[in-house]
Amino acid sequence: MQPLEYTPEIAEATAPIFAKLEHQYKEEHWRTLAPYIYEINRLKAEKNAVILAHNYMTPDIFYGVGDVVGDSLMLAQQAAASDADIIVQCGVHFMAETSKILCPEKKVLMPDMNAGCSLSESITGADVIALKKEYPGVPVVTYVNTSADVKAESDVCCTSSNALKIIKALEAQGHKRIIMTPDKFLAKNVANEMRDGGSDVEIIIWDGACMVHERFTPEDVRRVREEHKDAFVLAHPECPPEVMAEADFSGSTAQMDTYIKEHKPAKAVLMTECSMGSNLAAANPSVQMLGTCQMCPHMKRISLPKILKCLQTEQPEITLDPETAKRARKAVDKMLELS
Ligand code: 13P
Ligand code: SF4
């Protein structure tokens, strides 16, 4: 693709976005990004398309072209509510599949089909069938970070923002044992919270992990605290329990966002993907974001040129076997109902 030209018209149209991002991008870098932002937004309006951008998208995507931004749960809810003809999913493959499950009549586009997820790759539909055979009658709660095949075999989905709520709802229905797949750390963290709340529910765990969050260690937290005694530490529940034990706050990416906006700590450390800190820094200039982050190589596959190409060609498109999509939808709907 030929680089696009930075014209005075584009400079004027994108000036409010640059004003927000001038601490993130130098002017000469911005001149290469702005024409893509302009053209993507023009095409989006022409084609009645909506861009769903996860909190881990880089600021040029997040603030430049995202119509709906948020965590996995928010993006799924907004996909379900959208009246656009086309959804462009700026995130990873399982998120685009979730949108297609919820909106089978819409065209769902994914700027890079290779944007996967280590959690999603850790389990198959056949694994869930085997688990159900091993534990008959035990409900299977599956993290949204999975393929449609895995969701189709599960009873209910969850995200990091509603996992605890969903486990509590199943316990209230009388379940004493619950299978949680595929993230062992999310499952262990939820099991710890349940136990701390006095519950004796047994959580059966699958051995998957997020390749980004599993890298954080309690020493990372201690090191930051040694240098910055007043640092407020927020950790994503995909982190190991030993990291969560050192943190001041635990929550999904949207819950971290809300916490920072409402409390404005002087210094914050996010034990999560790097772009989350950049996006929060742009929205909360009074908060000093201390850099202890990890990059997700899958999320970073999404770029403005790929988004533009995908809108122009309306490819690559997510397609799902209708029967699998229908069965997966039951688990996603159950989650939306319980959360
Ligand atoms: P949430 O945005 O739901 O917190 O999930 C984080 C994540 O790892 C998505 O890939
Ligand atoms: Fe998957 Fe982790 Fe990347 Fe999220 S951050 S897409 S959970 S590998």
Side-chain angles (χ1 to χ4, degrees), residues 300-313:
K300 298 290 100 93
R301 282 181 172 275
I302 309 302
S303 65
L304 289 172
K306 285 185 194 170
I307 298 168
L308 178 57
K309 188 163 177 226
C310 157
L311 259 175
Q312 285 168 334
T313 59

Side-chain angles (χ1 to χ4, degrees), residues 283-296:
N284 303 276
S286 70
V287 181
Q288 187 187 345
M289 294 289 168
L290 304 171
T292 298
C293 67
Q294 299 280 353
M295 196 88 92
C296 174

Side-chain angles (χ1 to χ4, degrees), residues 99-296:
S99 292
K100 187 67 186 175
I101 289 165
L102 288 166
C103 313
E105 75 296 346
K106 293 194 201 309
K107 191 176 260 192
V108 178
L109 304 174
M110 181 73 213
D112 187 329
M113 284 293 198
N114 291 321
C117 170
S118 65
L119 279 169
S120 186
E121 280 147 27
S122 73
I123 191 162
T124 64
D127 292 327
V128 182
I129 295 172
L131 272 173
K132 287 194 290 192
K133 258 199 195 131
E134 195 180 340
Y135 301 99
V138 178
V140 180
V141 177
T142 285
Y143 199 25
V144 281
N145 297 37
T146 46
S147 67
D149 283 348
V150 171
K151 289 183 176 81
E153 300 302 336
S154 305
D155 296 296
V156 51
C157 283
C158 73
T159 69
S160 49
S161 64
N162 61 24
L164 186 64
K165 209 181 215 176
I166 287 181
I167 297 298
K168 281 185 178 167
L170 290 174
E171 186 189 37
Q173 288 171 10
H175 294 285
K176 290 275 172 218
R177 301 174 96 191
I178 299 166
I179 299 168
M180 266 189 97
T181 74
D183 188 347
K184 63 179 170 193
F185 292 137
L186 178 68
K188 282 181 189 172
N189 290 325
V190 167
N192 287 345
E193 283 195 71
M194 292 296 288
R195 196 202 48 227
D196 293 348
S199 162
D200 60 0
V201 72
E202 184 194 348
I203 307 285
I204 297 159
I205 287 169
W206 184 257
D207 190 21
C210 161
M211 61 188 283
V212 175
H213 293 92
E214 71 176 348
R215 288 191 226 136
F216 289 109
T217 66
E219 288 70 43
D220 292 332
V221 183
R222 285 180 212 136
R223 219 174 302 123
V224 181
R225 287 204 200 277
E226 260 167 37
E227 256 185 72
H228 303 272
K229 300 235 169 332
D230 52 344
F232 190 85
V233 180
L234 300 95
H236 194 276
E238 289 170 11
C239 292
E242 304 75 47
V243 173
M244 306 309 281
E246 300 273 339
D248 301 306
F249 177 89
S250 146
S252 75
T253 57
Q255 289 164 339
M256 289 183 188
D257 176 270
T258 305
Y259 187 92
I260 296 282
K261 277 187 186 139
E262 285 178 359
H263 296 85
K264 301 257 191 271
K267 293 178 184 173
V269 185
L270 301 176
M271 312 302 280
T272 194
E273 213 275 339
C274 297
S275 290
M276 180 81 206
S278 312
N279 291 329
L280 279 180
N284 303 276
S286 70
V287 181
Q288 187 187 345
M289 294 289 168
L290 304 171
T292 298
C293 67
Q294 299 280 353
M295 196 88 92
C296 174

